[in-house]
Amino acid sequence: PSSSDDLRSGPFGVLYDAVRGNSQVLVNVRNNHKLLGRVKAYDRHMNLLLEDVKEMWTERSKGGKGRSDVGGGGGSGGGGRGSSVNKDRYVGKMFLRGDSVILIVGNPAALAATASAS
């Protein structure tokens, strides 16, 4: 098989279908961010050229009263004071380096519709 066939089948089939159908994909990235956007191009390293990207992530607020919280056993399990805040931003065009990609889900809108119907 030629190298162009390799980028159309198997795991790359999700990306190939997304480029051909101009459909959205959901990409989980190493910094625990999620990217929802349209794939314009990709390569064998999983480098992605994305358009109309919504980047989503969660931040933990410290949740203390300033300095009185210092030395109070910080970290993620610190008494449950910190609240999670969901954040997002819009990026028009993005080049995503392939080594930061963890997971790609094709056409998440159709997947959600199928899940809610059953």
Side-chain angles (χ1 to χ4, degrees):
S2 68
S3 67
S4 67
D5 288 340
D6 294 342
L7 295 180
R8 294 181 186 177
S9 61
F12 288 107
V14 173
L15 292 171
Y16 181 73
D17 293 342
V19 171
R20 277 195 41 199
N22 196 31
S23 59
Q24 285 186 321
V25 294
L26 181 65
V27 183
N28 280 15
V29 191
R30 282 178 70 179
N31 60 1
N32 211 17
H33 289 207
K34 289 162 185 47
L35 306 171
L36 182 64
R38 302 189 188 283
V39 182
K40 289 298 165 188
Y42 65 96
D43 66 7
R44 63 193 175 113
H45 303 289
M46 208 68 78
N47 295 324
L48 303 176
L49 182 61
L50 300 169
E51 276 188 349
D52 299 327
V53 180
K54 182 178 180 183
E55 181 179 9
M56 300 162 282
W57 70 97
T58 303
E59 287 185 359
R60 283 207 187 277
S61 62
K62 296 294 184 241
K65 293 180 185 164
R67 305 279 290 154
S68 65
D69 202 32
V70 172
S76 60
R81 277 198 224 154
S83 61
S84 296
V85 180
N86 292 330
K87 297 204 167 190
D88 64 355
R89 69 174 178 163
Y90 174 80
V91 182
K93 277 192 179 5
M94 173 187 290
F95 178 85
L96 179 65
R97 186 177 155 99
D99 68 348
S100 62
V101 172
I102 294 177
L103 175 73
I104 298 176
V105 178
N107 203 352
L111 198 63
T114 306
S116 64
S118 56

